[in-house]
Amino acid sequence: MNTLTQMLVSDRPLIMGVLNVTPDSFSDGGQYATTDQAIQHVNRLIVEGADMLDIGGESTRPGSQPVSLEEELSRVIPVIEFAVHKRIPVSIDTSKPAVMRAAIRAGADLVNDVNALQAPGALEAIAENSAMVCLMHMQGTPETMQNTPHYSDVVTEVQAFLAQRIDAARNAGIPAERILIDPGFGFGKTLEHNLTLLQQLDRLLALGCPILVGLSRKSMLGAITGNTVDSRLHASVAAALLAVIKGAKIVRVHDVKATRDALSVLEAVI
Ligand code: 9MG
């Protein structure tokens, strides 16, 4: 059993620290765009108590533009190699099969795919390796997803999509123990959709896979509090705690230390 698998079977909620090696991600765009800046941030996230890191080289924020394979690889691979050397489990945030393969070769333990392995060759890239995968729900694409999100019943539809992607993954030869799921807060959802999903997150537990959520600094928290993206720390911590109480196993966060402290209090009580 590797470190990530061991952590997943523990009772403890896990913190995934976000590291966007990009010039344009929505809340930290440009801060860690060079390899040196990104490596310094790896060290900081580890000191603050991250259980794993999610390293991405292409922004998925609403309206973002795709980047080339070469550019994405040059952004993420040196940072993954450094994180692996520091012995922290690494997730690669990508939807490109070639990046998945290169990241796994460099030591990544998890592929975080906001496109749920729907790209041609993505299922095979995971099936032929032993890495885990996170299948996330999104309505539309990052370019267009916030234009007119629409659902008759958001929880039922997200659940049905994730069930279908779990089936596709299993049919491709990926065992259930290697699959995580994520409702995709903010990915083709209005504030009301996001709130309904958070209220009813525990319904997704019926799918039998650990739940990962990303709420950190998202627009829904800005809509609730009126705060700009750089002032959403407290709302992000509250949202992470709520998600864990509603059944999330992993919270994907920018502010690791504050989330770690809040989860320590929660764990001391429950
Ligand atoms: C890359 N990324 C941005 N937001 C995310 C979220 O909510 N979940 C996952 N799995 N990845 C995300």
Side-chain angles (χ1 to χ4, degrees):
M1 234 192 239
N2 68 19
T3 315
L4 179 59
T5 318
Q6 276 170 8
M7 288 193 297
L8 281 165
V9 295
S10 76
D11 288 342
R12 203 165 65 78
L14 304 175
I15 296 179
M16 169 185 263
V18 177
L19 178 43
N20 292 313
V21 195
T22 58
D24 61 340
S25 286
F26 93 109
S27 78
D28 53 2
Q31 274 182 275
Y32 318 113
T34 68
T35 303
D36 280 354
Q37 288 167 327
I39 279 174
Q40 277 184 36
H41 201 55
V42 167
N43 285 326
R44 176 172 173 176
L45 293 170
I46 293 172
V47 169
E48 289 190 354
D51 293 299
M52 69 191 83
L53 303 180
D54 189 37
I55 298 173
E58 178 175 59
S59 172
T60 52
R61 73 172 187 184
S64 60
Q65 298 294 316
V67 298
S68 71
L69 171 63
E70 294 69 30
E71 179 65 29
E72 196 175 334
L73 286 172
S74 73
R75 290 177 184 179
V76 295
I77 297 300
V79 186
I80 292 173
E81 285 171 349
F82 179 77
V84 168
H85 165 74
K86 298 293 281 188
R87 296 184 172 279
I88 181 150
V90 169
S91 158
I92 172 69
D93 160 16
T94 190
S95 294
K96 293 192 182 84
V99 177
M100 294 174 188
R101 287 194 173 90
I104 293 168
R105 265 198 309 277
D109 306 275
L110 168 64
V111 171
N112 174 27
D113 184 4
V114 300
N115 196 33
L117 302 182
Q118 293 178 98
L123 285 164
E124 293 78 359
I126 303 302
E128 73 196 26
N129 284 291
S130 57
M132 301 198 63
V133 65
C134 178
L135 304 171
M136 197 197 78
H137 175 272
M138 167 165 49
Q139 187 178 85
T141 64
E143 287 101 313
T144 59
M145 63 192 179
Q146 287 310 106
N147 294 351
T148 46
H150 176 79
Y151 303 83
S152 307
D153 175 340
V154 65
V155 181
T156 304
E157 288 171 49
V158 167
Q159 187 168 19
F161 171 84
L162 292 174
Q164 183 261 319
R165 294 314 299 158
I166 292 169
D167 281 351
R170 297 198 60 183
N171 290 337
I174 303 168
E177 311 80 69
R178 282 168 49 198
I179 302 174
L180 310 173
I181 52 170
D182 184 335
F185 287 102
F187 284 82
K189 284 139 193 131
T190 63
L191 173 61
E192 201 188 338
H193 297 141
N194 288 317
L195 293 177
T196 305
L197 277 167
L198 188 51
Q199 278 156 1
Q200 300 182 33
L201 190 68
D202 48 348
R203 279 178 58 190
L204 300 183
L205 290 168
L207 294 172
C209 299
I211 300 173
L212 187 158
V213 299
L215 290 149
S216 179
R217 301 186 186 172
K218 287 202 173 162
S219 307
M220 63 182 279
L221 304 178
I224 296 167
T225 60
N227 291 340
T228 54
V229 69
D230 48 350
S231 304
R232 294 182 189 156
L233 167 65
H234 307 99
S236 298
V237 172
L241 276 189
L242 268 172
V244 168
I245 290 167
K246 293 299 269 178
K249 177 68 185 173
I250 305 178
V251 286
R252 180 182 184 274
V253 305
H254 300 84
D255 302 292
V256 168
K257 170 82 173 91
T259 312
R260 171 61 69 209
D261 286 353
L263 286 181
S264 299
V265 177
L266 181 68
E267 285 166 63
V269 173
I270 58 173

